[in-house]
């Protein structure tokens, strides 16, 4: 039995004050939701992490970074290490988001190094994989997922796989309003779980939560979360309003 996870990726939105206001509103909107129904994660920009951590003290919300640098420390102007994130109070970190891969040149190799750095610092990685529209149209979806998964998780132990969170985010569905159909998402998630089982063993693979991301909204979450291997959602645009994200999370309580 995997507890569903809902993660709000705020991307480059929200000040510390806005984060605190969102957290207060969200707590009111989800006051009837228990921690056994769902785990909730927010990923604010670096500059709002400290305020978010303070505001979530005593709440069941966990805070994640949106990226990290794989070196521990050093002359890397503008970068933030896993240890710095951990010290700021984050417990998780998003790694390999398609915007990082596409806009900032992140590679499968850097994803792997970041996963190792996160584990070393005691952060839970949220590892993102997903194909572009061109890759899907060429029939390469599963091969792309295999490549990203194998390279990104290389060196992980079974226990680390059980604890980490995987996110399937088809690039063509991100920020486009066009989500994957249940058939498309189901195929990808089942494939990812099958690979995890082959590479890391069934016991560990069956504990790993695999989230769907890409134009998730209150209107489409029910169909997606109902799929066997979909264990929650990584939400961008629809997470910026606390009430909309609360509506998405609340679906888990009605399952
Ligand atoms: P949207 O929900 O805005 O499509 O973004 C998804 C995403 O990138 C979450 O990481």
């Amino acid at each position: 039995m995997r507890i569903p996870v809902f993660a709000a990726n705020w991307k480059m939105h929200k000040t510390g004050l806005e984060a605190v206001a969102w957290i207060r509103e969200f707590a009111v909107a989800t006051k009837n939701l228990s921690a056994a129904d769902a785990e909730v994660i927010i990923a604010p920009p670096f500059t709002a992490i400290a305020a978010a951590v303070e505001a979530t003290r005593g709440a069941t919300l966990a805070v994640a970074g949106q990226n990290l640098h794989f070196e521990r420390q050093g002359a890397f102007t503008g970068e933030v290490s896993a240890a710095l994130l951990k010290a700021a109070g984050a417990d998780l970190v998003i790694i390999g988001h398609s915007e990082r891969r596409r806009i900032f040149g992140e590679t499968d190799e850097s994803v792997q190094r970041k996963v190792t750095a996160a584990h070393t610092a005691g952060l839970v990685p949220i590892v993102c994989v997903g194909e572009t529209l061109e890759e899907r149209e060429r029939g390469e979806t599963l091969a792309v997922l295999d490549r990203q998964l194998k390279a990104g998780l290389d060196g992980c132990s079974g226990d680390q796989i059980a604890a980490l969170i995987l996110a399937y985010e088809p690039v063509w569905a991100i920020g486009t309003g066009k989500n994957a159909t249940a058939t498309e998402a189901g195929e990808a998630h089942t494939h990812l779980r099958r690979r995890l089982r082959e590479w890391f063993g069934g016991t560990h693979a069956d504990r790993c939560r695999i989230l769907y991301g890409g134009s998730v909204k209150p209107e489409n979450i029910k169909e997606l979360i109902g799929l066997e291997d979909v264990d929650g959602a990584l939400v961008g645009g629809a997470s910026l309003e606390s009430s909309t994200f609360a509506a998405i999370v609340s679906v888990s309580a009605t399952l």
Side-chain angles (χ1 to χ4, degrees):
M1 182 56 189
R2 296 180 292 267
I3 296 178
V5 180
F6 295 88
N9 177 9
W10 290 343
K11 308 191 178 183
M12 203 166 71
H13 297 279
K14 294 195 190 295
T15 64
L17 282 176
E18 288 165 343
V20 171
W22 187 103
I23 290 162
R24 292 201 179 125
E25 291 160 13
F26 182 80
V28 173
T30 57
K31 62 179 186 310
N32 294 327
L33 197 77
S34 94
D37 294 327
E39 289 175 21
V40 182
I41 299 163
I42 52 173
F46 291 138
T47 46
I49 285 183
V53 167
E54 186 58 36
T56 55
R57 219 174 281 282
T60 49
L61 279 178
V63 177
Q66 297 178 11
N67 179 35
L68 79 166
H69 188 55
F70 46 72
E71 295 290 350
R72 264 196 85 249
Q73 56 183 20
F76 302 103
T77 301
E79 294 294 326
V80 172
S81 70
L84 292 176
L85 277 175
K86 185 77 184 167
D91 288 318
L92 307 98
V93 60
I94 297 172
I95 299 176
H97 191 280
S98 69
E99 285 149 19
R100 302 285 331 157
R101 294 179 192 257
R102 187 169 47 84
I103 308 171
F104 302 102
E106 190 132 318
T107 62
D108 291 334
E109 193 221 338
S110 66
V111 169
Q112 190 277 331
R113 295 181 75 179
K114 289 180 180 197
V115 170
T116 302
H119 280 141
T120 303
L123 291 173
V124 173
I126 303 171
V127 181
C128 304
V129 295
E131 81 288 358
T132 63
L133 185 58
E134 296 71 36
E135 288 164 339
R136 174 164 283 273
E137 286 174 345
R138 288 199 299 264
E140 295 170 4
T141 298
L142 301 185
V144 168
L145 297 183
D146 280 352
R147 193 200 72 225
Q148 293 177 339
L149 195 66
K150 188 152 193 64
L153 302 185
D154 187 35
C156 284
S157 68
D159 285 338
Q160 286 169 337
I161 294 300
L164 70 68
I165 296 172
L166 202 60
Y168 169 60
E169 296 207 308
V171 179
W172 48 271
I174 296 178
T176 59
K178 187 176 183 293
N179 61 288
T181 63
T183 308
E184 289 163 339
E187 182 194 29
H189 281 244
T190 302
H191 180 79
L192 290 168
R193 178 95 54 208
R194 188 183 313 127
R195 286 291 187 249
L196 291 179
R197 285 199 183 113
E198 282 169 23
W199 297 336
F200 299 98
T203 317
H204 300 300
D206 288 349
R207 283 170 55 205
C208 177
R209 268 87 56 92
I210 309 180
L211 314 187
Y212 169 79
S215 297
V216 170
K217 303 180 268 287
E219 296 77 32
N220 59 22
I221 185 61
K222 197 156 195 149
E223 184 181 30
L224 293 161
I225 194 79
L227 298 169
E228 160 119 21
D229 286 304
V230 175
D231 305 311
L234 181 53
V235 187
S239 74
L240 293 175
E241 282 291 335
S242 60
S243 57
T244 313
F245 190 63
I248 291 171
V249 174
S250 298
V251 164
S252 68
T254 63
L255 287 177

